[in-house]
């Protein structure tokens, strides 16, 4: 037998069996054996002579070398930790291993089987009894060959975890006793000191437990009020041996053993979770109230004692409100008043809890009934027939969830809301809804409605509303018709029958001055039948003959088709109703074709130009002296570009002295144009006379590219290499100005770049870095660098300079050959 990877040399004596001097004829035969690994190696040895043959059987078993490894365990005291120790058996035979374990806290089976050609595991467990470091040893011995595997063991016991998490239940103001087991896993009788951080727990201060046994410890639970508590119950040993004495005070069992330092502070503890339930209520009080209302409840509290009683008050229920303290004088009764304001409909539970250290906790159960809200009557609404009036309805959501309201309104003809059903009101908020009233008759008849909002949480919210239709007295909003001088402009007035019955309508068109400028385009203007709420479209033409605004009026008269009368609010019968539509006819002058050449104001960006513009007021009425003027911008883009850079000033107003009565007036304007960028916009200069006439003059404002502020040449360092040029700019004001830097006309991205791109332009100067990184030879690189500040703009021409390409000069490889050399 040998261990793995060892060489064995042995000498074998060979005897002659036929000679009496055989001992003199013995010889030693040396044999070398070098195994490749663990296993069993059989061998047959044959010795031959001329007259003899010898056969020997040699068997050698190779076992693994002995090993020592260290295993380390770390776990809290009383908490086992397990580790599987691998045992590798590479032989063809199974092994029976016996285990020998030393050391406190280490345990495992006494034997195990390691199967052939596999890895088996020995389960080793470490359970520290207390907080300490323990050392030991594990020996696994092969019973077949006696080979031992040795492991050095180190176990570290840390602070113990709770033996158990105990969940206890009790009732307020009622004592309850609970038994808890206390173990002693040491080999010495221990005396524990008991402590807890929960004031509601009481019990004995000490308890003694015999070695390797358990004792029962009784704790009393008594809480003066409901609630949930958490804490710990600890049993700490002092390390001193327990000494028994007899009735005379003499020690029993001889002298006491010496103290054990290792057991001092040995701790066993439990984590506690105590749920204190409320005691039965004093009384159950039913309380009912409608939503959007409030009710008060008085609860009598009596103090039979001889000292003042101060009670803390807690209300359970979001809908309950009241004081958080009540003081009751000795031998008297006080009323505690609480308010119930339901936030939703339905049956709910609530409570009011009183507590003091003297009397503990007592409480009253409240049966809360939230009833459907009473209908709300809105303010009466009034409105002229043919118009609408509004009022706001506020819908509150006092809950913490979105409120879904379905809207029910049977009278949608006279009343409407500016929202759709269902309406969603966010949590803890109020939604204002606009209620519109459109009367369909005079007086209060048929103008009563109930608007209902329905939800699951709030039930039904009803709003009662009533309205009155008034006589139409106000004129309708002013309408305008714009028409070129001598040409016709048209507008259409839609008239809707506001009544809920058929009427006969008559339309009239009148003018304040020149009636010939107006015409009514109806086949018949009287006795036009209109069904309820139908619409009559009234077309009206305006053709101005002079440059002066005209005021017209379209009147619609209706009466009941059946000849009946409407009843006004005061009861007066009304047979006819009148509706008036004022109309302004605005004449506009259109320039003749020969004068339509559009003037243009051109300026280079970042500069200024002033031009004089003459506006002839053709066909102006004599005596017109007051005029207003403005630039009419066609789009938001033109407004953004022109509002800050165009100033218009009226220089003079000239009366023409020649015989051309078509142009009696000439307005001369000064136009100041200071563009910051490049653009082109067509606008109109609109001149309005005090009489209402309008003249329009088209003008084009064009801002062209400015000249470069400087030229920046950057010489390339080479292909793919970056060259940088720096320069500084200062703010033109005493304060920093925000800027933006960018390139225009840059076709190849990544060739030019500028930093920073945005930032603050300081009055003392800010530095810019322009980088150039070419990609190929034979191509010119050029771009425009734009830097824009608040009221300033700089433009630089940036050019990338490519170095001249110099091709390499080749030299002949035969320059050193003599001229007489020849090549074949």
């Amino acid at each position: 037998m040998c261990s793995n990877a060892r060489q064995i040399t042995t000498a074998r004596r060979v005897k002659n069996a036929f000679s009496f001097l055989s001992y003199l004829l013995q010889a030693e035969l040396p044999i070398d054996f070098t195994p490749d690994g663990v296993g069993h190696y059989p061998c047959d040895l044959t010795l031959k002579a001329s007259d003899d043959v010898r056969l020997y059987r040699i068997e050698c078993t190779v076992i693994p070398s002995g090993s020592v490894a260290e295993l380390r365990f770390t776990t809290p005291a009383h908490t086992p930790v397990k580790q599987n120790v691998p045992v590798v058996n590479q032989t063809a035979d199974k092994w029976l291993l016996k285990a020998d374990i030393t050391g406190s806290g280490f345990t495992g089976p006494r034997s195990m089987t390691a199967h052939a050609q596999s890895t088996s595991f020995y389960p080793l467990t470490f359970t520290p009894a207390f907080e300490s470091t323990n050392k030991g040893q594990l020996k696994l011995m092969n019973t077949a060959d006696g080979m031992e595997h040795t492991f050095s063991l180190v176990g570290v016991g840390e602070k113990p975890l709770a033996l158990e998490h105990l969940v206890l239940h009790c009732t307020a103001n009622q004592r309850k006793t609970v038994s808890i087991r206390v173990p002693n896993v040491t080999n010495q009788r221990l005396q524990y000191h008991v402590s807890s951080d929960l004031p509601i727990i009481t019990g004995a201060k000490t308890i003694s437990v015999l070695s390797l046994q358990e004792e029962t410890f009784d704790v009393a639970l008594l809480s003066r009020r409901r609630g949930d508590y958490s804490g710990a119950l600890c049993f700490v040993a002092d390390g001193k041996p327990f000494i028994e004495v007899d009735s005379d005070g003499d020690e029993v069992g001889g002298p006491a053993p010496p103290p054990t330092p290792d057991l001092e502070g040995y701790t066993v503890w439990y984590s506690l979770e105590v749920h204190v339930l409320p005691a039965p209520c004093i009384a159950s009080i039913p309380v009912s109230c409608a939503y959007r209302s409030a009710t008060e409840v008085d609860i009598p509290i009596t103090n039979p004692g001889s000292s003042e009683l101060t009670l803390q008050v807690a209300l359970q229920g979001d809908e309950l409100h009241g004081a958080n303290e009540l003081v009751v004088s000795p031998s008297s009764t006080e009323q505690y008043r609480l308010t119930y304001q339901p936030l939703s409909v339905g049956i709910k539970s609530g409570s009011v809890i009183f507590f003091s250290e003297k009397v503990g906790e007592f409480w009253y159960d409240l049966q809360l009934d939230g009833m459907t809200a009473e209908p709300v009557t809105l303010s009466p609404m009034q409105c002229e027939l043919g118009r609408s009036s509004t009022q706001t309805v506020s819908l509150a959501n006092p809950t913490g969830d979105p409120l879904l309201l379905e809207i029910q309104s049977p009278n949608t003809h006279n009343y409407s809301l500016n929202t759709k059903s269902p309406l969603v009101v966010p949590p803890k908020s109020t939604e204002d809804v606009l209620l519109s009233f459109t009367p369909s008759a005079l007086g209060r008849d048929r103008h009563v409605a109930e608007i209902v909002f329905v939800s699951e949480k709030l039930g039904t919210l009803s709003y009662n509303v009533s309205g009155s239709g008034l006589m139409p007295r106000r004129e309708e909003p002013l309408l305008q018709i714009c028409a070129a001088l001598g040409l016709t402009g048209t507008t259409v007035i839609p008239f809707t029958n506001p009544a809920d019955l058929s009427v006969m309508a008559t339309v009239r068109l009148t003018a304040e001055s020149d009636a010939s400028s107006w015409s009514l385009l109806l086949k018949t203007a009287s006795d036009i039948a209109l069904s309820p709420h139908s619409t009559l479209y009234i077309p009206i033409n305006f053709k101005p003959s002079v440059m002066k605004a005209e005021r017209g009026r379209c009147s619609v008269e209706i009466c009941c088709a059946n000849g009946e009368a409407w009843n006004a609010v005061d009861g007066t019968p009304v047979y006819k109703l009148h509706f008036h539509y004022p109309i302004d006819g605005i004449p506009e002058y259109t320039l003749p074709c020969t004068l339509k050449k559009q003037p243009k104001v051109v300026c280079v960006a970042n500069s200024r130009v002033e031009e004089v513009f003459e506006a002839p007021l053709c066909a102006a009425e004599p005596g017109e002296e007051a005029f207003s003027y403005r630039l009419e911008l066609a789009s938001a883009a033109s407004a953004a570009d022109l509002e800050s850079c165009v100033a218009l000033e009226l220089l003079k107003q000239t009366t023409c002295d020649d015989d051309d009565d078509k142009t009696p007036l000439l307005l001369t304007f000064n136009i100041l144009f200071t563009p910051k960028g490049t653009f082109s916009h067509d606008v109109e200069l609109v001149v309005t006379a005090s009489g209402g006439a309008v003249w329009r003059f088209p003008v084009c404002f064009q801002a062209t590219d400015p000249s470069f502020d400087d030229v920046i040449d950057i010489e390339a360092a080479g292909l793919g290499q970056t060259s940088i040029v720096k320069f500084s700019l200062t703010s033109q004001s005493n304060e920093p100005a925000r800027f933006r830097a960018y390139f225009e006309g840059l076709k190849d991205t990544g060739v030019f770049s500028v930093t920073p791109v945005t930032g603050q332009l300081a009055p003392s100067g800010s530095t810019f870095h322009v980088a150039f990184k070419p990609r190929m030879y034979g191509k010119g690189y050029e771009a425009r660098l734009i830097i824009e500040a608040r009221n300033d703009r700089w433009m630089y021409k940036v050019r990338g300079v490519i170095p001249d390409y110099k091709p390499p000069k080749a030299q002949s490889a035969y320059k050193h050959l003599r001229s007489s050399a020849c090549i074949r």
Side-chain angles (χ1 to χ4, degrees):
M1 181 182 295
C2 71
S3 60
N4 187 19
R6 292 184 181 181
Q7 182 177 7
I8 295 181
T9 301
T10 182
R12 183 69 179 176
R13 285 185 181 272
V14 182
K15 299 180 179 180
N16 187 346
F18 303 100
S19 175
F20 71 95
L21 298 177
S22 59
Y23 68 97
L24 298 175
L25 299 178
Q26 291 179 355
E28 291 186 356
L29 178 65
I31 300 175
D32 292 336
F33 173 60
T34 305
D36 295 332
V38 176
H40 186 73
Y41 296 85
C43 176
D44 292 332
L45 176 62
T46 304
L47 300 178
K48 293 182 179 181
S50 59
D51 58 352
D52 193 6
V53 176
R54 304 289 178 91
L55 180 63
Y56 295 90
R57 180 80 173 180
I58 302 174
E59 293 184 358
C60 185
T61 302
V62 180
I63 62 175
S65 302
S67 60
V68 177
E70 182 178 279
L71 301 179
R72 180 172 290 270
F73 300 78
T74 301
T75 182
H78 310 297
T79 302
V81 60
K82 180 180 178 182
Q83 182 169 337
N84 291 322
V85 181
V87 179
V88 180
N89 181 5
Q90 298 179 352
T91 68
D93 301 321
K94 66 178 181 179
W95 296 346
L96 178 61
L97 303 178
K98 288 187 176 181
D100 182 19
I101 302 175
T102 60
S104 176
F106 297 100
T107 58
R110 293 188 176 185
S111 63
M112 69 167 290
T113 301
H115 297 281
Q117 301 294 329
S118 64
T119 300
S120 303
F121 295 94
Y122 179 82
L124 180 62
T125 303
F126 174 59
T127 308
F130 41 84
E131 186 179 351
S132 63
T133 299
N134 300 328
K135 294 184 179 181
Q137 191 178 65
L138 168 64
K139 288 184 180 181
L140 298 176
M141 186 183 68
N142 193 337
T143 58
D145 54 22
M147 189 65 188
E148 290 184 350
H149 301 264
T150 304
F151 299 89
S152 176
L153 307 179
V154 177
V156 178
E158 297 180 336
K159 290 183 179 297
L161 300 177
L163 287 183
E164 189 177 349
H165 179 71
L166 302 179
V167 180
L168 308 178
H169 299 271
C170 65
T171 303
N173 291 325
Q174 295 182 11
R175 184 183 297 272
K176 182 179 181 180
T177 302
V178 178
S179 297
I180 298 176
R181 59 181 182 84
V182 182
N184 178 8
V185 297
T186 68
N187 56 4
Q188 179 178 313
R189 184 174 184 175
L190 295 179
Q191 181 166 330
Y192 292 104
H193 294 272
V194 186
S195 63
S196 176
D197 57 352
L198 292 178
I200 64 174
I201 291 181
T202 58
K205 294 183 179 181
T206 60
I207 181 177
S208 62
V209 184
L210 296 177
S211 173
L212 303 177
Q213 295 188 18
E214 291 183 355
E215 291 292 339
T216 300
F217 182 79
D218 294 335
V219 295
L221 303 178
L222 178 61
S223 176
R224 306 293 287 172
R225 66 190 313 173
R226 72 183 72 184
D228 298 326
Y229 303 88
S230 60
L233 180 61
C234 301
F235 301 86
V236 182
D238 55 10
K240 298 179 181 179
F242 184 78
I243 301 174
E244 291 189 57
V245 295
D246 54 16
S247 58
D248 298 330
D250 298 329
E251 295 182 3
V252 178
T260 306
D262 291 342
L263 297 179
E264 186 174 356
Y266 173 74
T267 303
V268 175
W269 67 283
Y270 293 86
S271 62
L272 302 180
E273 182 179 340
V274 183
H275 300 282
V276 182
L277 304 178
C281 63
I282 301 298
S284 182
I285 304 175
V287 185
S288 60
C289 182
Y291 174 71
R292 292 190 302 205
S293 299
T295 185
E296 293 182 343
V297 178
D298 289 334
I299 300 176
I301 304 297
T302 301
N303 178 15
S306 59
S307 60
E308 186 177 76
L309 179 63
T310 300
L311 296 171
Q312 300 175 13
V313 185
L315 299 176
Q316 290 188 345
D318 296 336
E319 301 168 336
L320 300 175
H321 308 278
N324 56 11
E325 187 178 86
L326 177 66
V327 179
V328 185
S329 301
S331 303
S332 63
T333 300
E334 296 288 343
Q335 299 288 337
Y336 179 78
R337 176 167 297 179
L338 62 87
T339 303
Y340 170 49
Q341 187 175 6
L343 302 178
S344 60
V345 298
I347 303 297
K348 295 175 288 296
S349 296
S351 61
V352 53
I353 305 168
F354 300 92
F355 172 77
S356 75
E357 295 293 342
K358 294 182 179 179
V359 300
E361 177 186 290
F362 61 95
W363 63 287
Y364 292 84
D365 179 55
L366 303 177
Q367 297 297 323
L368 307 177
D369 183 8
M371 300 183 297
T372 301
E374 297 292 333
V376 177
T377 300
L378 299 177
S379 301
M381 306 180 71
Q382 292 184 343
C383 184
E384 294 182 7
L385 201 62
R387 295 178 180 269
S388 297
S389 63
T390 61
Q391 72 168 311
T392 301
V393 179
S394 296
L395 300 172
N397 178 12
T399 67
D401 300 319
L403 184 63
L404 192 67
L405 296 175
E406 295 286 345
I407 303 175
Q408 300 176 2
S409 179
N411 188 358
T412 58
H413 191 67
N414 297 115
Y415 296 95
S416 63
L417 297 170
N418 66 335
T419 185
K420 296 181 179 180
S421 180
L423 172 65
V424 179
V425 184
K428 303 291 184 180
S429 63
T430 300
E431 192 77 17
D432 290 334
V433 179
L434 203 63
L435 176 64
S436 298
F437 167 57
T438 304
S440 58
L442 294 180
R444 299 182 179 88
D445 295 340
R446 298 185 294 275
H447 292 156
V448 178
E450 181 184 20
I451 301 174
V452 180
F453 299 90
V454 181
S455 78
E456 295 182 359
K457 294 182 179 181
L458 304 185
T460 300
L461 305 178
S462 299
Y463 293 85
N464 295 327
V465 61
S466 62
S468 301
L470 306 179
M471 290 282 293
R473 303 186 183 278
R474 293 180 297 167
E475 290 185 343
E476 298 296 326
L478 181 64
L479 301 176
Q480 281 190 350
I481 303 177
C482 296
L485 186 64
L487 299 180
T488 301
T490 304
T491 189
V492 177
I493 300 176
F495 171 77
T496 301
N497 176 18
D500 51 5
L501 48 82
S502 298
V503 298
M504 303 300 293
T506 300
V507 181
R508 297 182 179 88
L509 181 62
T510 58
E512 291 185 356
S513 56
D514 187 6
S516 61
S517 301
W518 302 90
S519 59
L520 186 64
L521 303 180
L522 286 176
K523 293 182 179 179
T524 176
S526 59
D527 296 333
I528 303 172
L530 294 176
S531 58
H533 308 292
S534 61
T535 300
L536 171 66
Y537 294 96
I538 306 170
I540 297 175
N541 278 356
F542 171 65
K543 184 179 180 180
S545 57
V546 295
M547 291 296 292
K548 185 178 181 180
E550 295 285 346
R551 173 63 62 88
R553 181 188 298 269
C554 178
S555 300
V556 181
E557 177 186 284
I558 63 172
C559 61
C560 293
N562 56 10
E564 295 181 357
W566 288 286
N567 292 322
V569 177
D570 56 0
T572 304
V574 178
Y575 291 92
K576 293 182 179 182
L577 299 175
H578 297 85
F579 301 87
H580 304 286
Y581 297 86
I583 310 171
D584 273 353
I586 307 298
E588 292 185 349
Y589 187 83
T590 304
L591 295 177
C593 294
T594 56
L595 300 178
K596 271 192 173 181
K597 186 177 180 180
Q598 182 177 357
K600 182 180 293 186
V601 182
V602 182
C603 181
V604 177
N606 291 332
S607 60
R608 55 178 289 164
V609 67
E610 289 190 43
E611 289 193 9
V612 176
F613 181 80
E614 293 184 345
L617 303 187
C618 302
E621 287 293 307
E624 289 283 4
E625 295 182 355
F627 299 92
S628 61
Y629 53 89
R630 59 185 173 86
L631 284 178
E632 189 171 279
L633 307 177
S635 63
S638 61
D641 289 337
L642 295 176
E643 282 182 350
S644 61
C645 64
V646 175
L648 191 63
E649 180 185 6
L650 178 61
L651 296 178
K652 59 181 178 178
Q653 178 177 324
T654 307
T655 301
C656 297
D657 296 331
D658 54 15
D659 296 334
D660 187 6
D661 57 354
K662 292 185 179 180
T663 311
L665 291 176
L666 182 67
L667 301 184
T668 303
F669 293 91
N670 180 66
I671 299 178
L672 176 60
F673 185 33
T674 58
K676 297 299 180 183
T678 58
F679 53 81
S680 180
H681 295 296
D682 293 330
V683 300
E684 285 186 339
L685 171 61
V686 181
V687 179
T688 304
S690 58
V694 176
W695 289 264
R696 296 179 178 271
F697 303 93
V699 183
C700 177
F701 288 91
Q702 185 176 1
T704 60
D705 286 333
S707 58
F708 292 105
D709 292 283
D710 200 353
V711 178
I712 302 175
D713 289 330
I714 307 177
E715 184 174 352
L719 289 183
Q721 298 182 13
T722 302
S723 302
I724 297 177
V725 171
K726 298 187 294 184
F727 66 94
S728 296
L729 279 180
T730 59
S731 174
Q732 302 301 304
S733 62
N734 295 328
E735 296 180 356
R738 178 169 290 278
F739 70 86
R740 181 171 69 101
Y742 59 94
F743 278 97
E744 282 186 351
L746 190 59
K747 298 181 180 179
D748 296 331
T749 59
V751 176
F752 290 108
S753 61
V754 59
T755 55
V757 178
T758 59
Q760 296 285 342
L761 197 61
S764 59
S766 298
T767 302
F768 292 85
H769 297 76
V770 182
F772 173 51
K773 185 179 181 180
R775 296 178 178 175
M776 64 179 66
Y777 284 111
K779 179 180 180 181
Y781 294 96
E782 189 174 299
R784 292 190 303 272
L785 173 61
I786 310 297
I787 300 177
E788 294 179 343
R790 184 185 309 159
N791 297 317
D792 299 288
R793 189 174 188 267
W794 295 269
M795 185 169 66
Y796 298 89
K797 186 176 184 180
V798 182
R799 295 183 301 192
V801 181
I802 305 296
D804 295 334
Y805 175 74
K806 297 180 180 181
K809 295 181 179 181
Q811 295 181 357
S812 175
Y814 301 97
K815 66 179 180 178
H816 299 298
L817 297 178
R818 292 180 296 178
S819 60
S820 61
C822 64
I823 300 176
R824 292 182 181 180

